[in-house]
Amino acid sequence: MMQKQDYDGPILEIDNLSISFFTRLGEIPAVMDFSCKVEKGKAVGLVGESGCGKSTVALGVMQDLGVNGKIVGGSIKFKGRDLNAMSDEELRDIRGSEIAMIYQEPMASLNPAMKISKQLMEVPMIHQGVNQKEAYDLALQVVTDVNLPDPERILSSYPHQLSGGQQQRIVIAMALMSKPSLLILDEPTTALDVTVEAGIVALVKELGEKYGTSMLFISHNLGLVLDTCDDICVMYSGEAVETGPIKEVFDKMRHPYTEALFRSIPLPGADKNARPLIAIPGNFPLPHERPNGCNFGPRCNYFAQGQCDKDVIDMAGVDVEHGHYSRCLKIEAIDWDAPLAAAVDTEVVEPGRTVLKVTNLRKYYEVAANALFGGGEKRVVKANETLSFEARESETLAIVGESGCGKSTLAKMLLGLETASDGTITLNGHDIESIGIQERNVETVSSIQMVFQNPFDTLNPSMTVGRQIVRALEVFGIGVGDEDRERRMLELLDLVKLPREFAKRKPRQLSGGQKQRVGIARAFAGDAQVVVADEPVSALDVSVQAAVTDLLMELQRKNKTTMLFISHDLSIVRYISDRVMVMYLGHVVEMGTTDQVFAPPYHPYTEALLSAVPIADTTVEREHIVLQGDIPSAVNPPSGCPFQTRCQHKDKVGNKCETEVPPLRLLADGHEMKCHLSDEFLDAMPPVIKLAQVS
């Protein structure tokens, strides 16, 4: 067994690394000439779009590139030793002991048939040769360190008995069991709620400091990287294009791709009418279609023919003293402080008549106490409790809240996939709450459509794109024959800005953003009056998010559509919505215009949600409120206020929170809240997000 050595130099040194995959098509370069350094106790953020090579770098460090992958140039040194030159036995000693990796999907790292205690105890027993008692004590200590409630119960549980956030904490605990020198985190919070994400990020930072662990943090979320890292490396198409200290790169970015990434994310101050997001034009190049010279050239606003597409471009110093470098020939020529060219000013569309009205809507499910065998008494799951709201023509109403708060159940009732237990849903004056999808007439079905979260799951892989849109037109009874529908299908492709030749393609030939556009074309095929968009951009890259968000708003303006935008990403919500409805455990706890909900006074839950949103702006100050515990079960909700078990201000009220459900009170015109806090306390609430004063 190899003893851990103290080492004062950089923990990880990647120098001119090139990784290729060898397939039937020949050699496909995935990473080229990549250099990066992780100093002792520091965290480096690796950012860029999907397919840019971030995870390939991580797998290269782990020496886990599979049978097709190979390091074809450069070196990866861990504590001064070249990993590529190590034997399998030496690598086995280092993996899990000195270098640990946390993956995006926690269940992929956990064995569903083994108790948590056994999975955690394996690590020190294999790597440190400790006995069972010592291993259990260590597991108990680490589970306590990752802030899990009732550690002994957690250790005796199986993975499926834990929530997603708890599973991810266990994976972090497992990675930290042997106190590794380097921790690689590959999108560790993508699948988690924003409040759980805030807790995990705070935990990783705290444990990194406690154990002196160095980190390589892979993410496409620039705000998250700003919160967690000391240095940043921006990747594009297999290359590092800008590296340096995080504040230096955020404040003085010197690569057009870094600048383009920032312009496509909804930072505070972005406005869908006055200051719209700017999507990056064109598409990410496939590895065998990379251009000559600068890889970003075909999508760059500053591209110069004969200069940028001539030779291989090397990293150049921006501020060598601080370690800031950029792979751009025009660092000096570009005016980086130039104001944004005014985008096309879009007219503000005033909301019209009420299209959708929901009154005292409830949805209860009866489940058997013994779900496996159906025996025992019945228990009630209260998925939605007395929801009331209106949505008007041309309006975007955002519905926000954590997983399990009832957002998707509400969407299912609107679409007729579920029928309500009580209350009414009125669409254009007609009650539809008790009419299931099978009984709904074509007009109702085409009037209320949905854009789903995952574009991969909603398209038929064996049908062409054109056929799938034509099929929707047939179902909605639109067009008077095949020719008419074919013409309308091509117009819909134009509408969602997809080339007409895509009609002949199968879904597998499309990128994620292109698939989502097909989903949107299908939703708008029947001139939908109400579109329910369920996390429509969360599975997409930031650069694609801007284009898809923009498209949804353009279609809304054109068709006067009412949009219900379900999301837990409050940055997008602030940018796209006119009004916001905050849900918690089936209740609407706050509702108002976007400006009202994003400024004090807040419901304590809204306050925590806002504080959890990572913002990629060094000038923004924000409160950090990490909610304790998980969202309670809808089978056994808490008494009184649904939020009282996690509320940060409960001590200001007394035991009323535990016994009485707060009434819905009107704070200002259209601003409603369910909370027992006094008017004086609410009026004195400070803002969670403070924007820098522009002089």
Side-chain angles (χ1 to χ4, degrees):
M1 181 128 11
M2 200 172 67
Q3 288 299 307
K4 291 188 186 179
Q5 303 290 318
D6 264 349
Y7 185 77
D8 283 332
I11 296 295
L12 182 70
E13 257 180 306
I14 302 175
D15 194 32
N16 297 332
L17 177 69
S18 293
I19 298 174
S20 289
F21 288 91
F22 293 86
T23 69
R24 284 175 303 177
L25 296 170
E27 182 182 348
I28 295 175
V31 172
M32 296 96 64
D33 183 30
F34 178 83
S35 299
C36 171
K37 198 182 281 186
V38 184
E39 298 288 352
K40 191 173 183 178
K42 298 286 187 188
V44 173
L46 205 50
V47 301
E49 293 169 277
S50 304
C52 72
K54 305 186 299 287
S55 296
T56 306
V57 169
L59 293 172
V61 175
M62 295 300 281
Q63 296 288 308
D64 184 21
L65 291 163
V67 287
N68 295 339
K70 196 167 182 249
I71 293 173
V72 292
S75 64
I76 305 173
K77 286 182 181 165
F78 173 72
K79 290 186 173 179
R81 299 175 62 211
D82 193 344
L83 290 170
N84 215 18
M86 286 187 192
S87 68
D88 287 349
E89 198 176 339
E90 286 175 304
L91 286 169
R92 251 197 315 274
D93 267 344
I94 281 183
R95 280 193 208 113
S97 158
E98 288 263 33
I99 305 176
M101 187 155 173
I102 296 168
Y103 295 90
Q104 184 168 345
E105 181 46 67
M107 270 311 275
S109 309
L110 296 172
N111 184 333
M114 272 169 79
K115 285 190 173 172
I116 297 297
S117 56
K118 199 169 177 197
Q119 301 193 49
L120 288 173
M121 287 160 64
E122 272 187 343
V123 180
M125 287 169 79
I126 289 169
H127 289 292
Q128 290 154 28
V130 305
N131 64 35
Q132 219 160 342
K133 166 82 174 73
E134 285 176 308
Y136 183 83
D137 291 345
L138 197 56
L140 194 62
Q141 174 60 47
V142 179
V143 169
T144 309
D145 276 355
V146 296
N147 302 336
L148 280 166
D150 196 353
E152 284 169 346
R153 179 186 65 78
I154 296 274
L155 285 177
S156 62
S157 304
Y158 287 98
H160 72 269
Q161 294 171 305
L162 308 180
S163 69
Q166 289 175 334
Q167 287 170 2
Q168 193 61 294
R169 282 168 190 264
I170 291 297
V171 172
I172 291 169
M174 200 184 290
L176 293 168
M177 282 296 280
S178 57
K179 301 186 174 57
S181 303
L182 176 67
L183 188 57
I184 300 172
L185 302 104
D186 190 358
E187 302 272 12
T189 58
T190 302
L192 304 176
D193 276 314
V194 66
T195 48
V196 181
E197 177 180 82
I200 296 281
V201 167
L203 172 76
V204 166
K205 277 179 77 172
E206 182 191 315
L207 294 175
E209 284 162 20
K210 180 176 177 180
Y211 294 126
T213 309
S214 304
M215 285 188 270
L216 187 63
F217 195 101
I218 297 170
S219 181
H220 65 261
N221 186 329
L222 291 158
L224 210 52
V225 169
L226 178 60
D227 280 354
T228 40
C229 298
D230 305 289
D231 298 295
I232 187 171
C233 174
V234 182
M235 282 189 83
Y236 182 79
S237 190
E239 295 178 324
V241 294
E242 186 161 14
T243 61
I246 194 124
K247 201 166 174 350
E248 176 94 10
V249 173
F250 272 52
D251 291 346
K252 298 179 195 156
M253 53 194 78
R254 289 296 181 267
H255 194 281
Y257 177 59
T258 315
E259 183 186 64
L261 273 183
F262 274 85
R263 287 180 176 178
S264 66
I265 56 177
L267 294 172
D271 180 287
K272 64 178 177 181
N273 296 309
R275 274 193 52 202
L277 303 180
I278 300 171
I280 304 176
N283 288 315
F284 197 77
L286 293 169
H288 55 280
E289 293 173 353
R290 289 188 179 113
N292 290 331
C294 176
N295 281 339
F296 187 60
R299 304 173 75 188
C300 180
N301 291 333
Y302 310 107
F303 178 75
Q305 209 162 358
Q307 185 183 356
C308 300
D309 55 359
K310 203 171 168 195
D311 301 310
V312 171
I313 296 167
D314 295 319
M315 291 292 258
V318 176
D319 183 343
V320 177
E321 192 187 338
H322 290 105
H324 186 183
Y325 293 86
S326 168
R327 195 182 294 272
C328 181
L329 294 175
K330 305 184 78 181
I331 295 170
E332 302 300 330
I334 295 168
D335 180 0
W336 298 99
D337 299 318
L340 279 176
V344 182
D345 257 359
T346 47
E347 216 178 302
V348 179
V349 181
E350 289 301 323
R353 64 187 178 85
T354 298
V355 175
L356 183 72
K357 187 172 182 182
V358 172
T359 313
N360 294 331
L361 190 69
R362 277 200 178 113
K363 180 60 184 176
Y364 291 176
Y365 296 95
E366 271 200 354
V367 292
N370 186 332
L372 191 59
F373 301 107
E377 57 182 306
K378 296 278 188 194
R379 298 175 77 178
V380 174
V381 179
K382 298 178 175 180
N384 282 147
E385 283 277 18
T386 56
L387 303 184
S388 296
F389 65 89
E390 290 183 0
R392 291 168 297 184
E393 190 177 75
S394 301
E395 180 181 53
T396 300
L397 172 65
I399 303 169
V400 300
E402 294 168 286
S403 306
C405 74
K407 307 187 297 283
S408 295
T409 304
L410 169 61
K412 285 175 186 170
M413 286 191 283
L414 295 174
L415 287 154
L417 300 171
E418 299 276 3
T419 51
S421 305
D422 196 10
T424 59
I425 302 172
T426 310
L427 178 68
N428 292 325
H430 300 293
D431 287 356
I432 58 167
E433 70 284 342
S434 56
I435 309 171
I437 188 90
Q438 265 82 18
E439 284 76 49
R440 289 190 176 181
N441 60 28
V442 170
E443 190 188 339
T444 305
V445 171
S446 65
S447 289
I448 187 159
Q449 283 290 300
M450 189 152 181
V451 178
F452 294 89
Q453 178 171 358
N454 197 336
F456 313 96
D457 294 342
T458 54
L459 298 176
N460 185 330
S462 59
M463 235 188 232
T464 64
V465 164
R467 180 70 198 119
Q468 302 199 43
I469 298 172
V470 168
R471 179 84 191 95
L473 294 168
E474 287 170 1
V475 169
F476 299 147
I478 290 169
V480 287
D482 292 350
E483 216 171 291
D484 197 17
R485 289 190 185 113
E486 195 76 18
R487 182 186 52 76
R488 172 84 177 126
M489 176 269 291
L490 293 171
E491 284 170 2
L492 282 163
L493 286 179
D494 295 343
L495 201 61
V496 296
K497 299 182 169 59
L498 282 176
R500 288 188 168 201
E501 58 266 26
F502 274 37
K504 296 184 178 67
R505 291 193 182 183
K506 297 271 180 73
R508 63 183 161 75
Q509 295 169 291
L510 272 56
S511 70
Q514 289 165 345
K515 284 180 191 161
Q516 193 60 294
R517 285 165 187 265
V518 176
I520 293 168
R522 226 171 31 175
F524 280 87
D527 293 327
Q529 286 180 288
V530 179
V531 169
V532 181
D534 188 2
E535 301 271 12
V537 293
S538 65
L540 306 175
D541 274 315
V542 285
S543 51
V544 183
Q545 274 184 10
V548 171
T549 307
D550 216 31
L551 171 67
L552 279 169
M553 291 186 303
E554 196 180 312
L555 292 174
Q556 181 185 35
R557 285 187 193 102
K558 209 173 275 183
N559 299 356
K560 297 193 172 175
T561 317
T562 304
M563 188 152 65
L564 300 186
F565 191 84
I566 298 173
S567 183
H568 67 260
D569 182 344
L570 289 166
S571 303
I572 291 266
V573 164
R574 181 208 299 261
Y575 174 68
I576 199 173
S577 63
D578 302 302
R579 285 190 305 131
V580 180
M581 180 164 106
V582 183
M583 287 183 73
Y584 185 81
L585 211 58
H587 292 257
V588 174
V589 294
E590 184 168 4
M591 182 149 61
T593 65
T594 306
D595 289 343
Q596 286 169 338
V597 171
F598 276 78
Y602 313 104
H603 185 281
Y605 179 55
T606 311
E607 184 185 37
L609 279 181
L610 289 172
S611 88
V613 180
I615 299 170
D617 188 335
T618 56
T619 63
V620 168
E621 286 177 39
R622 74 181 209 275
E623 293 287 318
H624 285 277
I625 301 160
V626 175
L627 289 180
Q628 299 305 311
D630 288 307
I631 192 165
S633 164
V635 176
N636 188 19
S639 59
C641 172
F643 188 58
Q644 54 101 348
T645 56
R646 300 168 79 196
C647 182
Q648 65 275 24
H649 299 309
K650 183 175 151 185
D651 57 335
K652 314 286 188 304
V653 178
N655 52 13
K656 192 197 258 191
C657 296
E658 293 170 22
T659 53
E660 293 175 35
V661 176
L664 195 64
R665 55 204 264 213
L666 191 64
L667 300 180
D669 184 30
H671 190 193
E672 300 173 322
M673 190 188 291
K674 259 188 194 177
C675 188
H676 287 305
L677 285 168
S678 68
D679 289 346
E680 294 75 37
F681 183 86
L682 290 172
D683 289 343
M685 271 184 142
V688 170
I689 297 165
K690 294 192 187 86
L691 303 184
Q693 296 299 312
V694 181
S695 52

